[in-house]
Amino acid sequence: MTQSNETTSYRDIKETVLARIRSGEWQPDSLLPNEQDLAVEFSCTRTTVNRALRELADEGFLERRRKAGTRVLSAPQRQARFTIPMVRDEVEALGGIYRYALVSSVAERAPEWLCARLALKPDQHVMHVRCMHFNGNTPFQYEDRWIVIDSVPQVVNADFASIGPNEWLIQTVPFTNVELSFLASRADESVAAFLDLPIDEPVFTGERITWLEGQPVTFSKMYFTAGYRMTTQF
Amino acid sequence: MTQSNETTSYRDIKETVLARIRSGEWQPDSLLPNEQDLAVEFSCTRTTVNRALRELADEGFLERRRKAGTRVLSAPQRQARFTIPMVRDEVEALGGIYRYALVSSVAERAPEWLCARLALKPDQHVMHVRCMHFNGNTPFQYEDRWIVIDSVPQVVNADFASIGPNEWLIQTVPFTNVELSFLASRADESVAAFLDLPIDEPVFTGERITWLEGQPVTFSKMYFTAGYRMTTQF
DNA sequence: ATTTCCATTTTGTGTAGACTTTAAACTTTT
DNA sequence: AAAAGTTTAAAGTCTACACAAAATGGAAAT
């Protein structure tokens, strides 16, 4: 059969299923009919039903298990997706002019806390890069970053005066695994100075660890401007 | 052909494509071969290639447009997916015992700032619920919430002494639209008291606005325990 | 009563092929 | 040139069918 106006598409099925859950017709924890039966009901193939249910499961509405069937999740595990933009894009999306400035870039022995954090050997060296990201002339983010030299030997020749370490790394080393955290920290003297804040001001802070095939590549702390909020809708 | 050991699955294709992007073989902004050609290369059907590329696009690695083809995103818009668990689950995942306590629950006229925030009429009423979530006996989260009575009339009969407002709302109005923000705030006198912190301590804070079919349902502020971090891996 | 094993059900994934939709690129007209 | 129309290549989706893999529930063995 050709897909004409009256054909049920996987989108229609998704909508119908969601509507039935919302209306209470399909209660939380209850089992849905199996794919074959739904295919008959919607007069389409099982393939189409499968796609609809698979996506709803991805989106956190359903739970599916072979042989056990598909059930409505009682507490819809809705996942918030935060897009992690690069600072430049974030500033430009705010309608601002992005400006970058290098503060310092030094090769040094990895400090103890970093060795612990990244599972480095005590004598490994890192490139310590500090830099600022501005929105026009307003400080937007202060970045404190360490790059493991053994993992990215080219870093010793990188010119971080002209390109930010994040953009450089993205061009240079692909990464495979990332751990990203957000927390509230307190502006110490240096952070306060760079972001033009009072000392002890609460600062929204991100920490990112990046690995390439199990090798630690970089650790960075990002201190955001006062009043910054990370927002998403779903 | 049957799917035997040597068959290329959409997973294999995803991996291979990612590897080629990482290795630089497929540069950012460059165009991938079209699905048909890839199908030939991987000796599978276009359907299978399609699924692989579609998922990679969903995950933020590729951009696909009809007729234009598939290209590697220059700034991989990787999306961090934070699962937003209910406090109970979060505490239990930490190995703790979850305990809930109501602080107060009062019906009142919506304050001006809330009217502005939720686009309420100036005379609308809200249920103002304050409560605590504990990990054992340690304060974990202090929650300050307003529920729009016109949107959820049953709320006046809800017994928030025995069930948290979030869990009650999920049972009552399950499918909603949400705007979620995170920021760093400063513990005022009351927050500090509830979370057992010094005044002015930085506090990781979440704000959530919830709508049902365009109607504002609830606004809540969640103040997290000292040292809290929201973490994800990808 | 408990464990082990097996049949069966349900989702997971693949093949092969067709039609649809979008939008880029080209062609014609103004 | 610029605008309007046309072609066409690429992704998007569906059909129809097949075999694979997991896990449940019951049967058999201990």
Side-chain angles (χ1 to χ4, degrees):
Chain A
M1 190 194 298
T2 173
Q3 98 194 64
S4 62
N5 294 332
E6 326 86 41
T7 305
T8 316
S9 86
Y10 78 99
R11 287 163 197 281
D12 301 333
I13 297 178
K14 283 179 73 173
E15 267 202 43
T16 307
V17 170
L18 269 183
R20 288 188 187 170
I21 295 174
R22 280 198 266 262
S23 75
E25 184 179 340
W26 286 343
Q27 290 287 321
D29 274 327
S30 71
L31 222 55
L32 267 62
N34 70 37
E35 294 185 344
Q36 189 52 61
D37 292 352
L38 287 173
V40 171
E41 184 196 329
F42 291 116
S43 51
C44 63
T45 52
R46 190 171 76 86
T47 316
T48 302
V49 174
N50 181 278
R51 175 157 181 194
L53 297 188
R54 176 159 37 84
E55 292 194 359
L56 286 173
D58 282 346
E59 289 160 27
F61 294 101
L62 303 175
E63 196 213 350
R64 322 191 71 204
R65 261 159 51 229
R66 283 168 169 162
K67 164 79 186 183
T70 302
R71 53 179 73 244
V72 180
L73 276 181
S74 47
Q77 286 287 343
R78 305 218 29 199
Q79 294 181 326
R81 275 190 167 191
F82 293 90
T83 315
I84 308 302
M86 297 206 296
V87 205
R88 153 172 272 125
D89 298 333
E90 206 168 356
V91 168
E92 285 169 358
L94 291 169
I97 310 262
Y98 173 73
R99 194 163 66 75
Y100 162 79
L102 178 64
V103 173
S104 72
S105 170
V106 208
E108 61 185 33
R109 269 180 73 137
E112 283 188 338
W113 62 267
L114 188 62
C115 289
R117 199 76 181 265
L118 297 184
L120 300 179
K121 287 184 219 96
D123 56 341
Q124 280 193 277
H125 280 63
V126 289
M127 200 75 179
H128 182 189
V129 182
R130 298 184 303 152
C131 61
M132 282 296 302
H133 307 273
F134 294 91
N135 178 351
N137 289 313
T138 314
F140 181 78
Q141 186 191 107
Y142 169 63
E143 180 181 353
D144 209 350
R145 183 185 287 267
W146 291 263
I147 302 168
V148 179
I149 296 180
D150 287 345
S151 302
V152 201
Q154 320 94 293
V155 74
V156 296
N157 300 315
D159 174 21
F160 291 128
S162 54
I163 183 173
N166 189 41
E167 300 192 24
W168 182 85
L169 278 164
I170 281 181
Q171 288 176 17
T172 313
V173 218
F175 49 82
T176 47
N177 292 91
V178 177
E179 183 188 291
L180 187 57
S181 301
F182 293 99
L183 57 140
S185 66
R186 181 196 292 280
D188 64 17
E189 209 177 322
S190 121
V191 169
F194 281 116
L195 291 177
D196 194 19
L197 303 172
I199 290 184
D200 284 348
E201 189 77 4
V203 177
F204 188 79
T205 306
E207 289 188 4
R208 185 202 300 247
I209 305 180
T210 301
W211 292 269
L212 175 64
E213 320 282 0
Q215 291 295 311
V217 171
T218 180
F219 172 80
S220 77
K221 289 196 78 137
M222 295 154 285
Y223 300 91
F224 285 85
T225 187
Y228 179 84
R229 37 175 73 215
M230 186 172 71
T231 301
T232 190
Q233 305 202 1
F234 57 103
Chain B
M1 190 194 297
T2 172
Q3 101 194 61
S4 62
N5 293 333
E6 327 84 40
T7 305
T8 315
S9 87
Y10 78 98
R11 288 164 196 280
D12 301 331
I13 297 179
K14 284 179 74 173
E15 269 204 39
T16 308
V17 170
L18 269 183
R20 288 188 188 171
I21 295 174
R22 283 200 261 260
S23 75
E25 186 179 339
W26 287 344
Q27 289 289 321
D29 274 327
S30 70
L31 220 55
L32 267 61
N34 70 37
E35 293 185 343
Q36 190 51 62
D37 292 352
L38 286 173
V40 171
E41 184 195 328
F42 291 116
S43 50
C44 63
T45 53
R46 190 170 77 85
T47 316
T48 302
V49 174
N50 181 279
R51 176 158 182 195
L53 297 188
R54 175 158 39 84
E55 292 194 359
L56 285 173
D58 282 347
E59 288 160 26
F61 294 101
L62 302 175
E63 197 212 351
R64 320 191 73 203
R65 263 163 46 234
R66 283 168 168 161
K67 164 82 184 181
T70 302
R71 54 178 73 243
V72 180
L73 276 181
S74 48
Q77 286 286 349
R78 303 218 33 195
Q79 295 181 326
R81 273 194 174 189
F82 293 89
T83 314
I84 307 303
M86 298 206 296
V87 205
R88 154 172 271 124
D89 298 334
E90 206 169 355
V91 168
E92 286 170 357
L94 291 169
I97 309 263
Y98 173 73
R99 194 163 65 77
Y100 162 80
L102 178 65
V103 173
S104 71
S105 171
V106 209
E108 62 185 32
R109 267 179 75 134
E112 283 188 338
W113 63 266
L114 187 62
C115 290
R117 199 75 181 264
L118 297 184
L120 300 179
K121 287 185 218 94
D123 55 341
Q124 281 192 277
H125 280 64
V126 289
M127 201 73 178
H128 182 188
V129 182
R130 298 184 301 152
C131 60
M132 280 297 302
H133 306 274
F134 293 91
N135 178 350
N137 290 313
T138 313
F140 181 77
Q141 185 190 108
Y142 170 62
E143 180 181 351
D144 208 352
R145 184 186 286 267
W146 291 262
I147 301 168
V148 179
I149 296 180
D150 287 345
S151 302
V152 201
Q154 319 95 294
V155 73
V156 297
N157 300 315
D159 174 21
F160 291 128
S162 55
I163 184 173
N166 189 42
E167 300 192 27
W168 183 85
L169 278 164
I170 282 181
Q171 286 176 18
T172 311
V173 269
F175 289 92
T176 50
N177 292 89
V178 177
E179 182 188 291
L180 187 57
S181 301
F182 292 100
L183 57 140
S185 66
R186 182 196 292 279
D188 64 16
E189 209 177 322
S190 122
V191 169
F194 281 116
L195 291 177
D196 194 20
L197 302 173
I199 290 184
D200 284 346
E201 189 77 4
V203 177
F204 189 79
T205 306
E207 288 188 5
R208 186 201 299 246
I209 304 180
T210 301
W211 293 269
L212 179 63
E213 321 278 2
Q215 292 295 311
V217 171
T218 180
F219 172 80
S220 77
K221 290 196 76 135
M222 295 155 284
Y223 300 91
F224 285 85
T225 187
Y228 179 84
R229 36 176 73 215
M230 185 171 72
T231 300
T232 190
Q233 305 202 0
F234 57 101

